[in-house]
Amino acid sequence: MGRFKSAPAPLMQPQPSLEPAVQAFISGAATRFPSGIAPAPKGPPWSAHDPSAIARKGINLRLNDWELAVLRHASEREGCSIQQVLKAILTPGIQTYARTEENSNHGTGTSTGTV
C-alpha cells in the first residue's frame, strides 16, 4: 500500500475540557466577522492605522538602472540604507497626499487625479 492516505484527515474538533472562551474562539475561527460582512471603515481607509507605527510591511518596487544608481549613490552619501533613503523621500509625499484627500473628499476613494 502507498505512503499516502486516500482520504484527508478529519478536521480537529474542540476538546470538551477547554475553557468556554477558548471553545468560543475555536468555533468562531472560520468566520472573519460574526455578521459575515466586514464593517465599513469610517473616514479614509488609513484612519484606522497609526502613521508613527513601526514599519512591518514591505513592497517590491521596480526601478530602472538609472533610478537604482541614484538611490545607491544617495545611500552611500547619506550613510544609510536604500530603504531609509526611499522612506525619507516617500513619507512627506504620502503625508501630503493623505492630507489632500482628507481635505478634498474625506478620503472616500474619489480620485483627485493627483497620482
Side-chain angles (χ1 to χ4, degrees), residues 6-114:
S6 60
L11 296 175
M12 287 184 58
Q13 297 298 320
Q15 300 295 321
S17 62
L18 295 177
E19 296 177 32
V22 175
Q23 289 278 357
F25 175 79
I26 292 171
S27 298
T31 305
R32 184 169 180 188
F33 299 99
S35 66
I37 300 173
K42 294 181 181 183
W46 54 86
S47 63
H49 304 285
D50 178 8
S52 61
I54 295 172
R56 300 191 188 283
K57 306 291 181 189
I59 62 170
N60 289 325
L61 178 63
R62 287 182 171 83
L63 302 171
N64 63 30
D65 291 337
W66 180 86
E67 294 163 330
L68 187 56
V70 170
L71 288 173
R72 283 183 177 147
H73 173 77
S75 170
E76 291 169 7
R77 184 175 180 153
E78 298 297 323
C80 60
S81 70
I82 291 176
Q83 284 185 349
Q84 290 169 320
V85 170
L86 282 170
K87 181 103 171 162
I89 293 168
L90 290 174
T91 298
I94 292 169
Q95 291 169 342
T96 299
Y97 179 81
R99 279 193 303 272
T100 302
E101 279 291 298
E102 290 167 353
N103 293 334
S104 66
N105 57 25
H106 310 292
T108 59
T110 306
S111 175
T112 60
T114 57

